[in-house]
Amino acid sequence: MKRFLILMLFVGVINNTALAQIDPAAAGDSIAVQKTAGDDYAPDLVFLPGYDQINSFKQLKEKLKGTPVFIDLWASWCGPCRKEFYYKDSLTTFLKEQGVQMLYISMDDNGQEDQWKRLLKYFKVGGLHMRANNALQYDLSRVIWKQNGGFSIPRYVLLDQNGVVLNSKMLRPGDRGLLYRQIKTLLGR
């Protein structure tokens, strides 16, 4: 038990240190973020209108119909999720060439909204964004992960233009060429 507690303390320190290196304000819970000249969102960032009212995956898919969508399920506290942002530019270019829309869904809780938005600014993540409310998080857990409330991230999902899930376990952006081939194959291109 003692080893477990020491390990958990070590992991907590490492995670906070890593988070502080990425975004110093994110390491502390009560640090206010001050707006500076270089602190703006990416120019092509759009928050999905009414995202806070979307309570089910079915509702979300209805809003997205008309174009294929690549979904990135992530959270600000997830180190592997943040690491994948380093591949966002090449992924964005590829998806635009394929006519696929990018949607980032944050699995952060309500109390983490500021941290979520700070990381979007820090990484200059463009594209379509939303934060899943509790009801949507639960439904995504049920539909995507086949669980009742649990989930593991990062997770990537590809929808066709009709909102049909083509694959709920897509490769990561860091897999680049393999992911791009996977997307093309699933879309029949």
Side-chain angles (χ1 to χ4, degrees):
M1 182 67 169
K2 193 174 187 179
R3 285 184 189 161
F4 176 76
L5 291 175
I6 291 171
L7 176 64
M8 294 311 296
L9 177 62
F10 177 74
V11 169
V13 169
I14 295 299
N15 282 342
N16 265 350
T17 303
L19 185 55
Q21 289 171 353
I22 291 171
D23 180 9
D29 294 329
S30 62
I31 298 173
V33 175
Q34 297 196 8
K35 187 104 169 116
T36 62
D39 196 30
D40 297 328
Y41 292 113
D44 60 336
L45 179 139
V46 176
F47 290 104
L48 184 67
Y51 70 81
D52 57 334
Q53 301 301 311
I54 299 172
N55 297 316
S56 71
F57 190 48
K58 182 179 179 182
Q59 287 177 327
L60 177 62
K61 291 190 307 181
E62 284 299 317
K63 282 192 165 270
L64 301 172
K65 275 190 178 178
T67 185
V69 180
F70 185 77
I71 300 173
D72 180 342
L73 294 152
W74 72 286
S76 62
W77 45 262
C78 170
C81 300
R82 294 189 310 264
K83 182 179 176 188
E84 294 298 321
F85 287 157
Y86 290 105
Y87 305 100
K88 69 180 171 38
D89 294 335
S90 59
L91 177 61
T92 298
T93 300
F94 170 79
L95 292 175
K96 284 182 182 178
E97 291 169 357
Q98 299 301 311
V100 177
Q101 184 170 15
M102 182 73 201
L103 172 63
Y104 294 92
I105 301 177
S106 169
M107 300 295 281
D108 284 301
D109 292 329
N110 291 340
Q112 295 169 309
E113 179 133 354
D114 289 341
Q115 186 171 330
W116 165 53
K117 289 182 176 179
R118 274 196 304 263
L119 283 173
L120 292 178
K121 290 176 184 180
Y122 178 82
F123 284 104
K124 300 285 188 211
V125 183
L128 191 59
H129 292 267
M130 65 177 291
R131 190 177 52 75
N133 62 27
N134 291 340
L136 179 56
Q137 282 186 24
Y138 181 80
D139 198 49
L140 288 169
S141 161
R142 189 182 57 76
V143 174
I144 301 298
W145 287 276
K146 310 293 186 222
Q147 298 182 24
N148 287 321
F151 59 85
S152 61
I153 50 178
R155 184 75 170 250
Y156 304 93
V157 179
L158 182 64
L159 306 179
D160 73 5
Q161 65 274 8
N162 298 313
V164 174
V165 176
L166 297 176
N167 188 329
S168 64
K169 294 181 181 179
M170 297 293 292
L171 295 171
R172 293 179 179 204
D175 291 322
R176 295 184 184 183
L178 294 173
L179 171 63
Y180 304 162
R181 281 192 292 279
Q182 184 184 37
I183 291 170
K184 282 182 164 183
T185 301
L186 289 167
L187 295 175
R189 299 181 180 160

